[in-house]
Amino acid sequence: MTTATAPSPTSTAPTPHQVWKRARGLLIALLILVIAGVTFAAVRSGTNYGHLDPRSADAKGSRATAELLKARGISVTVATTLDEATTAAGPDTTLLVTGPNLLTPTQQRRLNEATSASTGRTVLIAPGPAAASRLSPGVRTEPHRPVSPLPPSCAFPAARSAGTADMGGVRYTAPDSTATACYPSDGSPSLLILKGRGDGDTVFLGSPDFLQNKRLDQQGNASLALQLLGSRPHLVWYLPSLADPSATSDDGSPDDNDTNSDGNGGEASGEESDFLDLIPSGWLWGTLQLTLAAVLATIWRGRRLGPLVVERLPVSIRASESAEGRAGLYRKANARERAAESLRAAARTRIARLAGVTAREAHTSDVLLPAVSARTTTGDDLSTLLFGPAPADDAALVLLAEHLDALEREVRTS
């Protein structure tokens, strides 16, 4: 008897060299995509700046504000270390500190000493409770409020001239009766001006949103920005950094109270930042491109699902060879339980037909065992033989096959 089955299991698996020849094209393509993505991300990240950076044209950057100030004759200098910022402070200079909460306590005290000794203007953006008390003792903070268009509600000329602006965020109060409070939100001001020595002053801003590119053309934001930052001929735009060498003189980390109280994680903004905001956009685009390439490669190399196709085998395989091949697979997988169950099921089917038991009841022990025991005189336990557990080893499996054959011969000749 012959049957058309799968090729013999003796066929060899592909060699490592064959696997490499099949997959090298895909691997080379993926390598090229990875190199291209990393290169693109590196190029993009070299020109990517953070929030409130006067060089950034992103939505949350402040390049538009810086360009307007330059057009009015104000020199704009970017400082990234505390030494640069304190050295530049002077009577004809406005010092804008975009992230006071990133400064360590020692740096905050140094900044306060430097700005108190000058007669210039210091603008602090969203300092938290601890930072506010060190940068200007006596100033207290109120909980953060959403940014929205607010009227000035004060006599400060710059605020009255600008009118309604996008303010809010952290709110401040000061015991000094000479302080000017503007843009109140829920009763507390989000812009506070404290008089200093001579013509100097310190400005507390609860939110930097009106300085951002995306909001500068709304409300009176541009007017307020130009008047606050353009009152002196020079503007020092201080972008604090955790890499500042002066931070090593302290604990090297921003104050936890500040980063938690104002809800912006030390970032000089009135909004909560998420993880994606901290990743340069170039890396995000590179990752997106690699993901798309991986999906396309998966579709290209994936299995095509469709209707089954019946093929004529090139050769006919003998039934004995097919049985030997399947037995070899069982032995290789150490599947004695599966092999024993196949032997018992086939034996029960044949014996049931000889004992007058229907095929439906051939695998029911309550029906098959009485019928078989009536035709045999063997002392073997028929229940264990036909429905017992799996053999413990190969020798027990061979012995099971022999006993099943002997039982079938006895039933056939009874």
Side-chain angles (χ1 to χ4, degrees):
M1 181 179 66
T2 61
T3 182
T5 61
S8 172
T10 58
S11 59
T12 60
T15 64
H17 179 68
Q18 292 174 329
V19 173
W20 162 247
K21 289 183 63 177
R22 296 173 185 174
R24 63 183 178 184
L26 177 61
L27 294 177
I28 292 174
L30 289 177
L31 180 61
I32 293 175
L33 287 173
V34 169
I35 295 175
V38 171
T39 303
F40 179 76
V43 172
R44 286 289 305 272
S45 63
T47 58
N48 186 68
Y49 302 107
H51 296 173
L52 287 184
D53 195 309
R55 299 161 294 185
S56 173
D58 294 340
K60 293 185 178 181
S62 297
R63 183 174 177 179
T65 301
E67 293 299 324
L68 288 178
L69 290 167
K70 292 177 182 178
R72 293 170 62 94
I74 308 299
S75 66
V76 179
T77 304
V78 177
T80 56
T81 65
L82 181 63
D83 292 338
E84 294 175 349
T86 55
T87 301
D92 58 350
T93 301
T94 298
L95 175 60
L96 173 63
V97 185
T98 60
N101 298 328
L102 287 177
L103 301 175
T104 64
T106 298
Q107 289 178 308
Q108 291 168 354
R109 296 186 188 98
R110 282 186 54 194
L111 181 62
N112 178 43
E113 293 173 0
T115 55
S116 298
S118 70
T119 56
R121 167 169 287 179
T122 303
V123 181
L124 305 172
I125 295 183
S133 63
R134 296 188 191 105
L135 294 171
S136 184
V139 174
R140 295 178 299 175
T141 64
E142 299 292 337
H144 181 277
R145 288 292 181 270
V147 175
S148 61
L150 297 175
S153 302
C154 67
F156 184 50
R160 292 180 63 86
S161 176
T164 301
D166 290 329
M167 296 295 292
V170 186
R171 299 167 300 157
Y172 302 95
T173 58
D176 189 356
S177 60
T178 62
T180 303
C182 299
Y183 296 101
S185 177
D186 288 349
S188 297
S190 55
L191 187 152
L192 186 68
I193 303 100
L194 303 176
K195 294 297 295 182
R197 293 180 51 189
D199 294 333
D201 57 16
T202 300
V203 180
F204 284 80
L205 288 175
S207 169
D209 288 26
F210 74 99
L211 297 174
Q212 296 173 351
N213 295 327
K214 65 179 181 179
R215 291 180 180 260
L216 192 63
D217 61 344
Q218 301 174 13
Q219 315 298 333
N221 296 341
S223 175
L224 183 61
L226 291 177
Q227 294 183 77
L228 284 179
L229 303 182
S231 61
R232 271 77 173 170
H234 304 291
L235 170 63
V236 177
W237 204 297
Y238 179 27
L239 302 171
S241 170
L242 296 177
D244 189 343
S246 64
T248 59
S249 61
D250 203 346
D251 58 0
S253 63
D255 192 286
D256 291 339
N257 292 332
D258 289 348
T259 57
N260 292 332
S261 64
D262 60 3
N264 55 22
E267 180 189 83
S269 71
E271 301 176 358
E272 295 185 2
S273 60
D274 54 23
F275 176 74
L276 294 179
D277 290 336
L278 305 178
I279 301 178
S281 59
W283 291 98
L284 293 177
W285 279 110
T287 303
L288 178 61
Q289 291 177 15
L290 291 177
T291 303
L292 179 61
V295 171
L296 293 176
T298 302
I299 297 174
W300 168 48
R301 300 294 294 179
R303 175 178 295 178
R304 271 69 168 177
L305 300 178
L308 295 177
V309 178
V310 180
E311 299 184 29
R312 293 179 59 84
L313 295 179
V315 295
S316 297
I317 303 174
R318 296 173 63 88
S320 59
E321 294 180 1
S322 177
E324 290 176 359
R326 176 171 295 183
L329 292 176
Y330 283 157
R331 183 175 184 179
K332 186 176 181 180
N334 201 25
R336 282 189 295 271
E337 181 178 359
R338 180 70 179 272
E341 180 57 29
S342 297
L343 290 173
R344 284 181 169 130
R348 289 195 300 264
T349 300
R350 293 191 297 269
I351 292 174
R353 186 169 57 250
L354 297 173
V357 178
T358 63
R360 177 181 302 178
E361 298 173 331
H363 307 289
T364 303
S365 60
D366 295 340
V367 177
L368 180 64
L369 292 179
V372 174
S373 61
R375 291 174 172 268
T376 61
T377 59
T378 179
D380 294 340
D381 186 356
L382 296 179
S383 176
T384 302
L385 182 60
L386 294 173
F387 297 94
D393 50 32
D394 291 345
L397 180 62
V398 173
L399 185 60
L400 173 64
E402 293 176 353
H403 287 176
L404 289 173
D405 287 342
L407 177 62
E408 183 178 351
R409 284 195 299 270
E410 184 176 358
V411 173
R412 187 183 300 274
T413 59
S414 62

